[in-house]
Amino acid sequence: MNTTVIRLASVIVFAFGIFQRANAAQINIDFEDTDLIANFGVTSLSSRGFTFVSAEDPGLGTLINGNPCSPNCAANGTKTLTISGFGAGVGSGGTRTQPVNLSNDKGLPFQLLALDIAELTNTSIFNADRIQLTGNVIGGGTLTQVLFLDGINDGPGGVADFEAAVLDTAWSTTSLLSLKFQGFRGGTFSFFNEGFLLDNIKVNVAVPESSSALSLMVLGGLGLGSLIKRKLLNQPKRSL
């Protein structure tokens, strides 16, 4: 094969490799880039290029290692997201705080890889005992899972209040436009919207194609096609 053809083909392969590597990025939504919001809560809160929006009323907030909060709120030594429920000690506890919707600020699709979950306080009447995840899937449909909380929460120090959620494998391979969180207790409708905390929400984000990589691919493809065409035209015609 002509060395020029080989070089052009190599450029295309190299550019495609750049495209593939840039096509997804893992992000940890850890709330360390947010302000402390502990008194009355807000309706929306952003971290790491993603935004959480309440259904209607304020009730989203942040704590630093479970503080400030009374009664004791779950703690893991870092900043965490609080999602209030009926009568919760943090935020307004509006009846329409939940479900809380998560989406990328640029509208990019994402896949859920992991998250840490905890009860809101060490007083069970304020807490969800399970969290329902509902993903809005690209192309239509939803993906749903209920995560059960372990009931362990003694506030700062002591035992580990947060637990790593055990997610179904489908979350890591399904592209979502948005993800809803709703806490409830005992599976009873009247106890929906109970409080809970989230942290370290790890996602894969679909990153727009690299323009430089695409340019190399297009130019390489055009050059390779042109070269092949010239070589075919320059070949001597065979007589029948």
Side-chain angles (χ1 to χ4, degrees), residues 102 109-115 131-138 141-147 165-182 201-205:
L102 170 67
F110 61 95
Q111 298 160 339
L112 178 64
L113 304 179
L115 75 158
I131 302 168
Q132 180 171 297
L133 307 181
T134 304
N136 179 21
V137 179
I138 287 182
T142 58
L143 181 62
T144 303
Q145 182 180 355
V146 175
L147 306 174
V166 179
L167 296 172
D168 295 339
T169 55
W171 291 104
S172 64
T173 58
T174 303
S175 294
L176 308 175
L177 289 173
S178 62
L179 176 62
K180 285 185 169 63
F181 301 85
Q182 184 156 24
I201 304 170
K202 295 182 174 64
V203 295
N204 262 344
V205 182

Side-chain angles (χ1 to χ4, degrees), residues 152-236:
I152 300 173
N153 180 354
D154 66 351
V159 299
D161 298 330
F162 278 78
E163 58 186 294
V166 179
L167 296 172
D168 295 339
T169 55
W171 291 104
S172 64
T173 58
T174 303
S175 294
L176 308 175
L177 289 173
S178 62
L179 176 62
K180 285 185 169 63
F181 301 85
Q182 184 156 24
F184 56 102
R185 177 158 36 95
T188 305
F189 181 76
S190 61
F191 289 105
F192 266 76
N193 302 322
E194 298 299 319
F196 59 95
L197 285 86
L198 301 175
D199 199 12
N200 297 318
I201 304 170
K202 295 182 174 64
V203 295
N204 262 344
V205 182
V207 178
E209 297 87 345
S210 167
S211 58
S212 59
L214 285 177
S215 298
L216 284 172
M217 290 172 68
V218 171
L219 291 173
L222 291 174
L224 182 58
S226 177
L227 179 61
I228 293 173
K229 182 179 179 180
R230 286 201 307 272
K231 289 180 70 65
L232 289 174
L233 291 175
N234 291 335
Q235 284 182 349

Side-chain angles (χ1 to χ4, degrees), residues 27-34 46-50 104-105:
I27 294 175
N28 181 20
I29 306 171
D30 59 5
F31 309 105
E32 297 299 328
D33 58 339
T34 64
S46 298
S47 177
R48 308 301 182 192
F50 281 78
N104 181 268
D105 292 348

Side-chain angles (χ1 to χ4, degrees), residues 1-19 21 213 216-221 223-224 227:
M1 185 182 291
N2 186 285
T3 55
T4 305
V5 175
I6 295 174
R7 288 170 182 166
L8 284 170
S10 298
V11 169
I12 296 174
V13 171
F14 174 73
F16 184 73
I18 295 175
F19 167 75
R21 289 192 297 272
L216 284 172
M217 290 172 68
V218 171
L219 291 173
L224 182 58
L227 179 61

